[in-house]
Amino acid sequence: MNPQFHADLDTVLASAATPGRASAMRAYMRDQFDFLGVGTPQRRLAAKPFLKRLKGSGADNLLLCASELWERPQREYQYVAIDLLAMHSKELNLAHIPELLRLAQNKSWWDTVDALASVISDILHYRHDGMDQALSHDNMWVRRIALLHQLGWRDKVDVDRLFRYCLALAHEKEFFIQKAIGWALRDYARHDPEAVRAFTQKEKHRLSALSYREANKHLATP
């Protein structure tokens, strides 16, 4: 990647930073990551012109840039990497999903993992290539992506797959898996509330209390 890109990005992000905000952002992320102190709207506004210039540069270049940004110490650079991938997701294809899953396993937390799940969802475009393997992956965050890859698909959701994935991981005690199960079901309930209600009632003994509660959060009591 052109060093000038990184230098220019450093400059605009430093200018967009709010003094004193970095410590609050770090605390919100449980002191796991350093921050520059740039809010999401300010970051996207500052970085957008530089990211737009990469249009048509090719998937390999986009992924290289994202990988380089991922290695930077401040969290905003991982967010810029995700903005880059989301902006140019049409230049990526199914062959690039393993690289996105690799990024998800580095500096992992819900913020980057869920954003990468959205990029992967766009690439899949109502397909499920690699998601069965992701569901059984050793890394919990990759399994979370498998659970969430159909978010927003509404009538294009593979309902049998959704329910099967939820049950496959229902035994896990990990909060972020239990939460993802509930989130995936709640999202589909916006399209077919009766299907989700029937499924959660039938499988209540297998679902965690958290998953069940999240799935039914916006469903009226029958």
Side-chain angles (χ1 to χ4, degrees):
M1 177 54 61
N2 187 343
Q4 191 61 48
F5 170 89
H6 290 288
D8 291 342
L9 184 62
D10 289 348
T11 299
V12 297
L13 289 182
S15 299
T18 301
R21 187 170 186 174
S23 59
M25 295 173 75
R26 181 184 174 100
Y28 180 69
M29 287 294 166
R30 300 185 181 180
D31 293 319
Q32 296 183 95
F33 311 105
D34 289 329
F35 282 85
L36 296 169
V38 184
T40 297
Q42 295 79 14
R43 181 193 77 244
R44 287 178 173 162
L45 182 64
K48 186 175 181 179
F50 302 97
L51 302 186
K52 287 180 69 175
R53 293 174 195 170
L54 297 175
K55 182 178 181 180
S57 63
D60 289 345
N61 190 58
L62 294 171
L63 290 168
L64 174 61
C65 183
S67 182
E68 290 175 348
L69 290 167
W70 216 267
E71 294 306 316
R72 301 294 296 276
Q74 291 82 20
R75 196 61 164 169
E76 285 91 345
Y77 289 104
Q78 284 95 68
Y79 297 157
V80 171
I82 293 167
D83 291 340
L84 167 67
L85 295 168
M87 181 182 292
H88 303 300
S89 64
K90 290 184 178 179
E91 296 188 41
L92 305 175
N93 60 45
L94 297 173
H96 302 121
I97 289 178
E99 175 62 15
L100 300 180
L101 294 177
R102 185 192 68 79
L103 289 178
Q105 297 173 69
N106 186 9
K107 301 181 180 179
S108 308
W109 199 239
W110 62 264
D111 54 342
T112 52
V113 169
D114 292 358
L116 285 169
S118 180
V119 175
I120 289 170
S121 177
D122 288 343
I123 296 170
L124 287 170
H125 193 61
Y126 311 130
R127 297 178 63 174
H128 311 278
D129 300 59
M131 291 298 102
D132 283 356
Q133 293 84 350
L135 188 74
S136 59
H137 199 279
D138 290 342
N139 186 278
M140 177 269 292
W141 297 107
V142 175
R143 299 198 299 276
R144 180 174 167 99
I145 287 174
L147 286 168
L148 300 180
H149 81 276
Q150 297 193 82
L151 286 183
W153 288 12
R154 297 183 62 80
D155 63 321
K156 300 295 195 299
V157 166
D158 181 334
V159 184
D160 291 340
R161 182 183 299 269
L162 169 64
F163 292 165
R164 174 164 55 85
Y165 279 21
C166 290
L167 292 180
L169 300 187
H171 66 282
E172 295 201 23
K173 305 302 182 185
E174 169 58 54
F175 169 84
F176 288 106
I177 292 297
Q178 293 184 1
K179 188 83 169 180
I181 290 171
W183 183 10
L185 292 170
R186 186 175 77 242
D187 181 77
Y188 184 62
R190 295 188 178 99
H191 173 69
D192 191 346
E194 292 306 320
V196 172
R197 180 183 289 111
F199 171 76
T200 55
Q201 288 293 329
K202 178 184 176 183
E203 305 295 349
K204 186 175 183 178
H205 64 292
R206 297 177 63 182
L207 298 170
S208 70
L210 173 59
S211 298
Y212 181 86
R213 184 170 63 251
E214 287 293 317
N216 287 274
K217 197 169 186 178
H218 302 302
L219 293 180
T221 303

